[in-house]
Amino acid sequence: MAAADTPITANEYISHHLVNLQVGSGFWTLHLDTLIVSGLVGCAVFGLMYHVGRRATAGVPGKLQAFIEIVVGMVDRQVKDTFHAKSELVTPLAITVFIWIFCMNALDLIPVDFIPKLLELFGVKYFKAVPTTDPNATFAMSLSVFALIIAFNLKFKGAGGFLHELFTAPFHAENKLLQIALAPVNCVLRVIEEIARPVSLALRLFGNLFAGEVVFILIVLLAGAWSGPTLGSAASFLGHVVLSLAWAIFHILIITLQAFVFMMLTIIYLTLASESH
Amino acid sequence: MNINATLLGQVIWFAFFVWFVAKIVWPFFQRVIAERQKDIADGLAAAERGRLELDSATRRAEESIQEARERAAEIIAQAERRSAQMIEEARAQAKEEGNREKTAAQAEIDQQVSRAKEMLREQISALVVAGAERILRREVDAKAHAGLLAQLTQEMR
C-alpha cells in the first residue's frame, strides 16, 4: 500500500503526506490542494443547501430538507440562546462555520492514500486532501472571526465604549489614581486575551485534525510493513484494518466536536463583543 | 507550519460562503421554518378552540335534554290533570242532562195529567149537560135555558 514501485521508508512516506500541493515561493506560496478542496467542499454543500432551500416548503418537508432544517435549526437555537444583540450576520456565520468545517473535517475519513494515489495517476505528486489540517485554512477562519469581533465591539459599544473597556476591565477601581495605575495592566491583559482567541481557535482545530491525520498515516504504516506472506505481515495488515476502523469511528466524534466547538466559540466571542462587561 | 498567501485565499472563500449563506441560503430556511412554526401554532390554537367548543356544545346539549325532560314531565302532569278534569266535567254534564231530562219528562207527565183531567172534566160536564138535558128535555126550553147551561159549563171548568 505505502510501498509503491520504489520502496520508501516510513519517514519518507510520512513526510510525503505532509507536503501540500503548492505553487509560488516564500509568502506568496499557494496551497492549491487546500484552496481547491475547501472551495469544492463549500460549493458542493452550500450549493446543495441552495438547491434544497429554493424548493423548500413549509408543509411536510422531504428527508433532505428535514435534515438540513434540523442542522440549521440547531445552530440557530445555539445562536438565539447565547447571542442576544440584534445582528443578521451571526446565525449565517455560525451555520457556515459549522457546516463547512464539518464537511472539510469529514474528508479525513477517506483513507489517507485514496485521493493522493488517484491524483498521482494524473501526475500530481503531493496532495493533502483535508483543508483543516492546513493552518492556513483554520487561521483564515479564526482571523476573519477576529476581525468580526473587533467590528462588533466597535458597532455595539462604539469606539469610546470599546476603548473605555480596554482600559477598565477586568480590574475595576473607584479611585482615579488607581484607575490610571491599572489602565496599562488592563490594556495588556485585554490585548493578550483578544490575540489568544483567534490563535487558540485556529490551533485547536488544526491540532486536532492534524493529529488525527498523522494517526491515520501511522496506522497505514502497519500495512506498509508487509514483507511477504508471513504470519507477522498478515497480523500487521489485520491490525491496520482494525485500528483504522476504530480510529475512524472515534474520529467521527472529533470531526463533529471540533466543528461544533469552533461554531460555539465564534458565537460566544461575538456575544462578548456585543455586550458590555 | 507555514503560513502564506493560502490564508488570503481561504479568507476569500470563507467570506464568499458566509455571504452566500447569509444572503441566499439562510433566508429560504428562515422563511420555511417560521412558516411551519406559525402553522403549528395555528393548528394548536384551533385544536384548543375546538376542544372548548365541544365542551360548551356538550354542556348545551345536556341543558337541552334536561329542559326537554322537565317539559315532558310537566306536559304529562298537565295532561293527567286535564283528563281528570274532563272526566269530572263529563260526569257533571251527564248528571245535569239527566236531571233536565227528568224535569222535562215530569213536566210532560204533569201536562199529560192536566190535559187528561181537563178532558175528563169536559167529558164529565158534557155528560152532566147531556144528563140534565135528557132530564129537562121536556120541561125546559133549550133555547130559554141556553144561557144558564153555558154558565154551568163554564163553572165546571
Side-chain angles (χ1 to χ4, degrees), chain A residues 27 31 35 38 57-58 69 136, chain B residues 4-6 10 13 35-36:
Chain A
F27 176 75
H31 293 168
L35 286 168
S38 63
T57 59
E69 274 180 26
N136 286 301
Chain B
N4 51 38
T6 312
Q10 288 296 117
W13 269 132
E35 270 177 31
R36 187 170 310 117

Side-chain angles (χ1 to χ4, degrees), chain B residues 36-83:
Chain B
R36 187 170 310 117
Q37 273 173 345
K38 192 180 163 301
D39 282 356
I40 291 170
D42 287 355
L44 288 177
E48 180 63 18
R49 219 164 37 239
R51 206 177 59 72
L52 290 178
E53 262 166 31
L54 179 65
D55 276 359
S56 81
T58 310
R59 212 165 36 245
R60 268 206 309 280
E62 269 166 15
E63 274 168 18
S64 299
I65 288 171
Q66 186 61 31
E67 203 177 309
R69 203 171 278 146
E70 278 168 13
R71 185 134 175 69
E74 197 180 306
I75 287 170
I76 288 170
Q78 210 172 359
E80 272 169 3
R81 244 189 346 267
R82 180 95 188 94
S83 76

Side-chain angles (χ1 to χ4, degrees), chain A residues 32 52 76 123 128 140 180 220 233 240 251 258 263:
Chain A
L32 289 181
V52 173
D76 189 34
K128 267 177 79 181
I180 293 167
V220 169
S233 297
H240 138 258
H251 210 52
Q258 287 307 318
M263 177 201 81

Side-chain angles (χ1 to χ4, degrees), chain A residues 27-31 34-35 38-39 42-43 46 49-50 53-54 56-59 61 65 68-69 76 91-93 95-97 100 135-137 139-140 144, chain B residues 1-37 39:
Chain A
F27 176 75
W28 292 107
T29 308
L30 286 176
H31 293 168
T34 302
L35 286 168
S38 63
C43 287
F46 296 120
M49 281 172 73
Y50 169 72
R54 206 165 40 122
T57 59
Q65 189 195 331
I68 295 174
E69 274 180 26
D76 189 34
T91 303
L93 177 75
I95 291 171
T96 313
V97 163
W100 199 31
N136 286 301
F139 268 104
S144 304
Chain B
M1 214 175 94
N2 36 2
I3 297 293
N4 51 38
T6 312
L7 190 140
L8 301 178
Q10 288 296 117
V11 168
I12 292 168
W13 269 132
F14 187 52
F16 169 69
F17 289 136
V18 170
W19 169 84
F20 186 72
V21 171
K23 286 292 162 214
I24 299 171
V25 175
W26 175 231
F28 287 143
F29 289 99
Q30 217 173 5
R31 178 182 58 79
V32 164
I33 290 171
E35 270 177 31
R36 187 170 310 117
Q37 273 173 345
D39 282 356

Side-chain angles (χ1 to χ4, degrees), chain B residues 117-127 157:
Chain B
K117 271 183 184 165
E118 181 88 4
M119 223 189 292
L120 211 59
R121 221 173 265 133
E122 255 173 39
Q123 278 173 1
I124 289 173
S125 63
L127 273 178
R157 288 229 164 116

